[in-house]
């Protein structure tokens, strides 16, 4: 019966309680039955009517007056978020899955948008990719949920991530953590968030005046290890494995290796050279002289395709992630740790499944032959780069390292002849202590040991691409195209400001850029040109059509050597399994039979490549943002100090500079350059003083004072100095006006450089104690 039940709480019910009552009722449940069940009378019934109307508009129940029906939590018109591309179709879930709905959001297939009747072809929906948000009309049928896109919505940005702060009246405001957003926004729905918490919000209406509502609570914004969580939330990086994936990984980890079906290479002293703190070891190498001036070599790569079968829950999650994401404090792995850090990882003294690339390197450094086998290997040593280098530098290294260095010298000679693009781009390394706080930030040292491994991996990647081409098999190429003509024109115009010529009539090759850089002896000028050359390059991507790799000066290139952390490499392994008949005996249990490419993979290879290219860019942006925040946090106690910097970019509003040997781009606003007016010369990438001729151009080195360091945004701001080392007075500086907050925004805040400040503008000037 749907009457009053002693088990039900009396009083206005929540949405969840209404849904549970409708679901459990054995008679049609209308407003009267619901009111009776919860003991509502008078004003309570009026409030219930409003609640039921809201629930109907949200799509939680239908709109019938006599008896309501639970709709499964998906509104008829709602915002969906694409989570993956499967068989060429976008799969999405509701963007804001209500806690009142079932625990698991439904998977909804997005169908192609059709134009309204009688309106011709209409405007077509842009191609969708994981992370896209789409306003859609949803339908439920016996076969599941489908949706028809109505409009692609702007992506959520970091501008709607911020810290909850209260003003003097107790009104909550969102102090943004985006460098580009200056003002706070009024929060109209806290969503359970509390003051001081980092949250993700979205607009509550079309107008900015409508305020924002909190949709996710991230946590303490300045707690150790919080910066990576900010990046994970901002970029929508999947970091929690869904139900079933861990179980799938555990089952896969129990697969036995077959001595009969695999080449036994356990007697070969293969070594893995990796960073000292590496947890997953994808690759290991070995070489020995061939007696004719060349070397026979092995590049053993973790045989991930044996464990991760096409179409499995494990495979679908790996494809959705696309790659592992590396932060200073954590790794968001592509595969569960039972595989990534254990069973697949090539660890010393353990029998491991490997896909092995056998190559013969002749005396000129050319790879003359290659073949691929599935093998069992037993790694002799896991060696850190620094330790391997130290052993070689002693002059009497062990034989296995001496042979590797000997083979590498041949590969390096061939590389030099090929003349790939050589840009000296320093890599920052953030090292944390046991409490998750920064112990040191340094530029990672580039050793010969790094180059040894890198050149062996390049040789294996080229071999994999060519081996698949020889069989007319599908290839996931790693493409890096020739710079676009418009970028070359911009580079030519820039070089003209340096009194240097660049002819666009010649063939554009990496050698051309290398010669330009080699001709410059002045380090400051070389840094300027290197920045300009870097800006002229295109972005690498994955694709089934080969366009070559411009930067490496290679005609065919694929990624084969890191299948634990890159889905592209896993696809290349599967293609090799098919092309060279490397399938293993059928494993017992419920795993898919094949470890090669599925028919779905072959049919949708272009869409898969687009998806993993996007995932890679997402990961790079998240990693860069996190390092910027760590750098800003580390520098927040050093505001007021002077640093040696280099200008990395110039715009009409100012220039950006990075601290030498440390990194962290900071802005120098043009208004702080003094009373003189500076004009922006785009071709020269410079700001030039109209009276004095003082010039600030990309690549210049100068000493600047750190004026601000904001850990939440990762933003730095510098001040220029005069000849005596004093800060230059900003143009038109007047006594500081009273702080004008947006609307009735908060007067106080505490999340700027760890001190109290103004949440309406979290980039206020920090001060040293």
């Amino acid at each position: 019966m749907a009457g009053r039940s002693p088990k039900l709480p009396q009083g206005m019910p929540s949405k969840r309680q209404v849904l549970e009552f409708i679901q459990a009722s054995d008679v049609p449940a209308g407003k009267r039955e619901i009111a009776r069940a919860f003991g509502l009378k008078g004003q309570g019934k009026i409030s219930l009517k409003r609640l039921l109307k809201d629930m109907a508009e949200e799509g939680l129940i239908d709109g019938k007056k006599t008896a309501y029906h639970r709709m499964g939590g998906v509104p008829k018109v709602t915002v969906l978020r694409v989570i993956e591309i499967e068989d060429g179709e976008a799969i999405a879930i509701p963007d804001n899955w209500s806690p009142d709905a079932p625990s698991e959001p439904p998977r909804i297939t997005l169908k192609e948008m059709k134009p309204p009747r009688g309106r011709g072809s209409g405007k077509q929906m842009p191609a969708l990719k994981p992370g896209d948000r789409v306003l859609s009309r949803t339908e439920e049928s016996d076969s599941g949920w489908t949706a028809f896109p109505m409009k692609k919505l702007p992506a959520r940005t970091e501008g709607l991530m911020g810290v909850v702060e209260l003003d003097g009246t107790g009104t909550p405001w969102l102090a943004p953590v985006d460098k580009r957003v200056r003002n706070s926004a009024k929060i109209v729905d806290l969503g359970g968030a509390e003051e001081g918490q980092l949250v993700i919000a979205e607009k509550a209406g079309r107008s900015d005046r409508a305020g924002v509502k909190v949709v996710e609570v991230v946590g303490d914004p300045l707690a150790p290890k919080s910066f990576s969580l900010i990046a994970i939330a901002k970029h929508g990086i999947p970091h929690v494995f869904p139900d079933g994936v861990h179980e799938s990984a555990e089952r896969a980890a129990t697969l036995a290796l077959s001595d009969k079906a695999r080449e036994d290479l356990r007697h070969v002293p293969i070594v893995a050279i990796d960073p000292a703190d590496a947890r997953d070891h994808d690759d290991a190498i070995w070489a020995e002289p061939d007696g004719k001036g060349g070397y026979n070599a092995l590049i053993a790569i973790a045989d991930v395709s044996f464990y991760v079968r096409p179409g499995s829950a494990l495979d679908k999650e790996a494809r959705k992630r696309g790659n592992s994401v590396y932060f200073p404090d954590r790794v968001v792995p592509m595969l569960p740790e039972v595989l990534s850090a254990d069973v697949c990882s090539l660890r010393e003294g353990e029998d491991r499944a490997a896909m092995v690339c056998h190559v013969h390197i002749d005396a000129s450094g050319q790879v003359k032959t290659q073949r691929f086998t599935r093998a069992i290997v037993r790694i002799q040593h896991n060696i850190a780069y620094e330790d391997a280098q130290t052993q070689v530098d002693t002059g009497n290294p062990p034989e296995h390292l001496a042979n590797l260095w000997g083979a590498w010298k041949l590969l390096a000679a061939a590389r030099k002849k090929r003349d790939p693009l050589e840009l000296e781009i320093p890599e920052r390394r953030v090292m944390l202590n046991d409490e998750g706080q920064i112990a040191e930030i340094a530029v990672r040292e580039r050793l010969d040991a790094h180059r040894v491994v890198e050149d062996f991996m390049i040789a294996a990647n080229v071999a994999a691409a060519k081996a698949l081409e020889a069989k007319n098999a599908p290839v996931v190429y790693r493409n890096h195209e020739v710079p676009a003509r418009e970028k070359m024109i911009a580079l030519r115009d820039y070089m003209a400001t340096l009194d240097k010529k660049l002819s666009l009539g010649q063939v554009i090759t990496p050698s051309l850029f290398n010669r330009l850089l080699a001709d410059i002896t002045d380090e400051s000028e070389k840094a300027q040109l290197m920045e300009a050359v870097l800006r002229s390059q295109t972005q690498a991507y994955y694709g089934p059509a080969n366009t070559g790799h411009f930067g490496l000066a290679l005609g065919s290139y694929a990624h084969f050597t890191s299948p634990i952390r890159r889905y592209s490499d896993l696809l290349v392994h599967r293609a090799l399994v098919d092309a060279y008949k490397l399938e293993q005996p059928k494993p017992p249990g419920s795993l898919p039979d094949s470890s090669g490419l599925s028919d779905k993979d072959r049919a949708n290879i272009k869409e898969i490549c687009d998806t993993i290219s996007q995932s890679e860019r997402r990961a790079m942006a998240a990693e860069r943002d996190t390092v910027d925040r760590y750098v800003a946090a580390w520098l927040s106690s050093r505001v007021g100090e002077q640093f040696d910097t280099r200008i990395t970019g110039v715009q009409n509003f100012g220039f950006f500079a990075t601290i030498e040997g440390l990194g962290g781009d900071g802005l120098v606003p043009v208004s702080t350059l003094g009373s003189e007016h500076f004009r922006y010369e785009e071709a020269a990438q410079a700001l030039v003083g109209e009276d004095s001729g003082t010039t600030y151009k990309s690549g210049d080195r100068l000493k600047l004072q750190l004026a601000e360091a904001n850990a939440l945004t990762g933003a730095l701001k510098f001040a220029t100095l005069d000849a005596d080392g004093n800060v230059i007075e900003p143009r038109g500086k007047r006594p500081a006006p009273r702080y004008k907050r947006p609307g009735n925004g908060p007067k106080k805040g505490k999340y700027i450089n760890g001190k109290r400040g103004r949440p309406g503008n979290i980039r206020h000037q920090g001060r040293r104690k």
Side-chain angles (χ1 to χ4, degrees):
M1 295 291 293
R4 179 178 299 182
S5 169
K7 295 182 180 180
L8 293 177
Q10 301 299 285
M12 177 58 61
S14 67
K15 293 178 182 179
R16 177 186 291 277
Q17 290 170 329
V18 170
L19 290 171
E20 290 175 347
F21 174 77
I22 294 172
Q23 190 78 23
S25 177
D26 54 5
V27 298
K31 184 179 69 174
R32 180 181 300 175
E33 287 74 24
I34 297 171
R36 183 183 299 121
F38 290 95
L40 301 179
K41 298 179 181 179
Q43 187 63 39
K45 289 185 177 181
I46 297 175
S47 298
L48 176 64
K49 182 178 180 180
R50 288 198 298 266
L51 175 66
L52 295 174
K53 181 179 179 181
D54 290 343
M55 292 175 68
E57 290 177 352
E58 293 176 25
L60 298 175
I61 58 177
D62 63 22
K64 295 180 180 179
K65 304 293 185 183
T66 55
Y68 295 97
H69 172 67
R70 181 171 181 163
M71 297 293 289
V74 180
K76 294 179 180 179
V77 175
T78 190
V79 177
L80 302 178
R81 174 166 51 84
V82 178
I83 58 172
E84 63 180 302
I85 306 298
E86 187 176 277
D87 300 338
E89 290 186 317
I91 307 299
I93 61 174
D95 192 42
N96 292 317
W97 186 244
S98 170
D100 293 326
S103 58
E104 289 293 328
R107 289 168 60 89
I108 303 172
T109 302
L110 282 163
K111 298 297 185 181
E112 183 178 357
M113 182 178 67
K114 297 180 180 180
R117 183 177 298 175
R119 295 192 183 181
S121 60
K123 185 177 181 181
Q124 296 300 307
M125 173 69 67
L128 297 176
K129 60 184 182 297
D132 283 344
R133 301 168 69 236
V134 187
L135 182 65
S136 307
R137 176 172 56 82
T138 62
E139 293 181 359
E140 186 180 18
S141 65
D142 293 339
S143 59
W145 285 93
T146 56
F148 300 90
M150 300 165 61
K151 180 182 180 182
K152 186 175 178 181
L153 302 176
R156 281 184 181 155
T157 69
E158 193 180 4
L160 292 180
M161 177 183 282
V163 176
V164 176
E165 299 190 340
L166 304 179
D167 65 11
T169 65
T171 302
W173 292 78
L174 183 74
V177 297
D178 189 345
K179 303 174 186 179
R180 301 162 296 181
V181 180
R182 289 191 168 276
N183 295 325
S184 296
K186 186 176 181 179
I187 300 175
V188 297
D189 183 354
L190 276 169
E194 299 177 356
E195 182 183 12
Q197 288 185 320
L198 182 70
V199 300
I200 298 175
E202 66 177 14
K203 289 184 178 180
R206 295 182 179 181
S207 169
D208 290 339
R209 295 182 179 180
V212 299
K213 57 182 180 179
V214 174
V215 296
E216 182 179 343
V217 178
V218 179
D220 183 351
L222 293 179
K225 303 186 178 182
S226 67
F227 300 136
S228 56
L229 291 176
I230 295 175
I232 288 169
K234 170 193 171 184
H235 295 281
I237 294 173
H239 64 291
V240 177
F241 286 104
D243 292 342
V245 174
H246 280 294
E247 291 80 358
S248 179
E250 293 284 355
R251 288 195 302 272
T254 64
L255 288 177
L257 305 182
S258 171
D259 292 343
K260 296 179 180 179
R262 290 180 178 272
E263 182 180 16
D264 191 344
L265 296 176
R266 284 175 286 190
H267 63 285
V268 180
I270 308 174
V271 297
I273 306 176
D274 290 293
D277 56 353
R279 297 184 62 193
D280 51 77
H281 306 279
D282 285 281
D283 55 82
I285 51 181
W286 168 88
E288 69 174 4
D290 65 356
K292 301 177 182 179
Y295 283 83
N296 294 314
L298 302 179
I299 302 98
I301 307 300
D303 189 2
V304 175
S305 64
F306 178 66
Y307 298 99
V308 182
R309 301 300 176 101
S312 64
L314 191 57
D315 178 52
K316 290 179 179 178
E317 181 65 17
R319 180 181 299 184
K320 182 173 73 174
R321 295 183 175 219
N323 46 254
S324 298
V325 188
Y326 294 85
F327 299 109
D329 63 301
R330 75 186 70 219
V331 176
V332 179
M334 184 178 79
L335 302 172
E337 288 196 4
V338 66
L339 295 179
S340 62
D342 186 7
V343 175
C344 291
S345 188
L346 303 181
R347 300 197 305 196
E348 182 177 321
E350 302 281 351
D351 287 359
R352 289 291 185 259
M355 183 78 75
V356 179
C357 175
H358 303 249
V359 297
H360 176 245
I361 305 167
D362 70 10
S364 67
Q366 299 297 318
V367 174
K368 288 300 184 181
T369 62
Q370 68 250 343
R371 65 184 179 91
F372 291 84
T373 64
R374 270 178 152 166
I376 298 179
V377 299
R378 184 178 296 161
I379 303 305
Q380 185 176 81
H381 298 295
N382 288 118
I383 312 174
Y385 285 113
E386 295 80 4
D387 294 339
Q389 189 67 53
T390 298
Q391 292 182 51
V392 172
D393 289 345
T394 61
N396 187 29
E399 183 181 15
H400 59 270
L401 290 184
N403 286 340
L404 287 175
W405 257 249
W408 166 65
K409 289 177 181 177
L410 299 181
L411 291 173
R415 177 189 181 111
K416 184 177 181 180
K417 186 176 181 180
R418 197 173 73 241
D419 203 15
L421 185 61
E422 298 288 349
L423 293 178
E424 300 172 9
I425 308 299
E427 180 185 355
R428 289 176 290 172
R429 183 184 180 192
V430 178
M431 289 166 283
L432 308 179
N433 58 25
D434 293 339
E435 288 73 40
Q437 299 168 333
I438 300 170
E440 182 183 0
I441 299 178
V443 174
R444 194 183 300 272
E445 186 179 5
R446 180 84 165 148
L447 304 171
D448 280 348
H450 293 96
R451 298 182 177 93
V452 170
V453 175
E454 180 180 292
D455 281 336
F456 269 94
M457 296 306 109
I458 290 173
N461 288 335
V462 172
K466 290 184 175 180
L468 291 173
E469 290 172 345
K471 295 287 187 177
N472 293 317
V475 185
V476 174
Y477 289 102
R478 179 63 169 179
N479 291 321
H480 181 226
E481 297 184 16
V482 177
R485 180 169 177 79
E486 57 268 23
K487 289 191 175 183
M488 292 302 298
I489 291 173
L491 179 61
R492 179 197 62 187
D493 295 344
Y494 172 73
M495 291 188 64
T497 67
L498 303 176
D499 294 326
K500 296 185 180 299
K501 293 183 179 180
L502 174 62
S503 173
L504 299 185
Q506 58 189 311
V507 177
I508 305 301
T509 65
S511 298
L512 170 64
F513 295 114
N514 291 339
R515 290 196 303 270
L516 292 175
L517 294 169
D519 290 340
I520 300 176
T521 56
D522 181 80
E523 288 300 318
S524 177
E525 189 175 341
K526 178 175 285 190
Q528 295 176 50
L529 186 54
M530 196 173 295
E531 293 284 349
V533 169
L534 184 61
R535 287 194 300 270
S536 73
Q537 301 304 301
T538 60
Q539 191 166 27
Y541 64 94
Y542 296 106
N546 185 21
T547 63
H549 198 293
F550 176 80
L552 292 174
L554 293 168
S556 297
Y557 194 64
H559 273 168
F560 161 78
T561 56
S562 296
I564 290 177
R565 62 184 179 91
R566 290 191 305 229
Y567 195 80
S568 58
D569 304 51
L570 178 55
L571 292 172
V572 170
H573 280 229
R574 289 174 178 170
L576 288 166
V577 168
D578 290 338
Y580 288 90
K581 297 180 172 53
L582 301 177
E583 190 58 81
Q584 297 288 286
K586 180 185 182 301
S590 58
L591 288 176
D593 295 349
S594 173
S595 59
L597 286 173
S598 68
D599 292 338
K600 291 181 178 180
D601 287 341
R602 293 174 181 274
N604 297 291
I605 197 72
K606 174 66 167 61
E607 290 79 5
I608 297 172
C609 287
D610 291 344
T611 297
I612 59 180
S613 294
Q614 184 64 33
S615 299
E616 178 190 47
R617 292 167 190 171
R618 175 183 67 186
M620 292 171 61
E623 291 167 354
R624 183 175 59 248
D625 287 355
T626 302
V627 172
D628 284 346
R629 286 186 171 90
Y630 271 109
V631 170
W634 200 50
L635 291 171
S636 61
S637 63
R638 303 177 66 181
V639 169
E641 289 187 27
Q642 297 179 6
F643 294 90
D644 292 323
T645 72
R646 179 172 55 85
I647 297 178
T648 57
V650 182
Q651 296 292 331
N652 59 354
F653 53 80
F655 63 81
F656 293 92
T658 187
I659 297 175
E660 292 276 76
L662 177 62
D665 278 345
L667 175 65
V668 179
V670 69
S671 61
T672 66
L673 300 181
S675 58
E676 183 179 10
H677 179 75
F678 281 78
R679 69 177 183 275
Y680 173 54
E681 296 185 357
E682 183 175 4
Q685 290 291 297
L687 288 168
V688 181
E690 291 193 344
D691 298 327
S692 66
T694 300
T695 301
Y696 298 99
K697 59 182 181 298
S698 184
D700 280 356
R701 286 178 164 83
L702 67 164
K703 192 174 287 292
L704 296 173
Q705 179 171 298
L706 182 62
E708 300 177 19
N710 191 310
L712 283 182
T713 65
L716 305 177
K717 189 176 287 186
F718 295 109
T720 50
L721 306 172
D722 60 21
D724 297 324
N726 299 315
V727 174
I728 295 176
E729 192 80 0
R731 182 196 315 157
K733 184 174 181 180
R734 297 185 296 273
R738 292 181 60 189
Y739 170 57
K740 183 179 180 181
R741 60 188 186 277
N744 291 317
K747 298 178 181 179
K748 296 181 179 180
K750 57 182 177 181
Y751 299 102
I752 308 93
N753 294 340
K755 308 175 181 65
R756 296 201 70 82
R758 301 172 300 186
N761 181 351
I762 61 176
R763 275 168 301 283
H764 78 290
Q765 181 171 331
R767 296 173 176 82
R768 287 191 73 193
K769 290 185 178 179

